[in-house]
Amino acid sequence: MTTIFTAIEHSRTADEVARQIEALILEGVLRDGDRLPAERELAADMEVSRPILRDALKALEARGLLATRPGGGTFVANIVGEVFADPMRQLIATHPKATADYLEYRREVEAVAAELAARRATPADKALLEDVIQRMHHAHEHGDFAEQVEIDAEFHNAVVEAAHNFVLLHTMRSCYRLLAEGVFYNRSKVFDLPGARDRLLAQHVAIFEAIRDGKPEEARKAAIDHIAFVERASAEAERTGEWERVSALRLRQRTETSSRNSKPRRPGVAE
């Protein structure tokens, strides 16, 4: 079985073990919620003693990078989510300008990420992106909205990973998490706009092909075009939702008014 962990060649100390695990977290290989192998297996992979491994894991846990669940093993801690603490998340969720600012930020940063990915993507990065695109096609063909939404986030994460920039990777993961949790616009409403699903798929494919073919400027443009479309679509979905809400209220009021006016008067009762 292959493993992401490698043997410690020199100075088999807890510090060296911790540094290797730190690097895997920083590089995005290990993500929050990922479970580490069992102690015996991990010690064997890294060719260190179990006491040394335990010291390294305890040090990482003390620093908030790992978390231990009683009887459940050791996991990578949720460090990305802390970029936006709960008070800030609540503020963002209730501020009407938040969605516009969020998409503006994504438009600029994802343009950089796509351009860097087109310059830096390795064969493994491209293979991962191609797999995501193939699954995106499959979900599109079967009209599976839930899977489309999940793969959409996975695609953007894969693009940022292919940019090979630590800061981009972790800040954007945090942004995508807020999106997945519905802090910003309702993605289902965007997907439900006429023709939106076809256009979104084509945009993702354009980003992928530019990265695959090593065309930085085309990748940048494709990323900008994609987010610009999402900006317009989310605004349209918001307007449509508001129109539908107001129309429903009008219909209800007219119906109730008509019903009240049409009730027969009781004899001898003055109006």
Side-chain angles (χ1 to χ4, degrees), residues 134-146:
Q134 288 176 351
R135 288 189 286 117
M136 192 177 285
H137 273 291
H138 182 270
H140 180 76
E141 290 168 3
H142 289 79
D144 189 331
F145 168 72

Side-chain angles (χ1 to χ4, degrees), residues 10-24:
H10 307 288
S11 182
R12 292 181 173 86
T13 65
D15 286 344
E16 287 299 315
V17 172
R19 271 194 283 272
Q20 182 177 142
I21 296 174
E22 286 172 0
L24 291 171

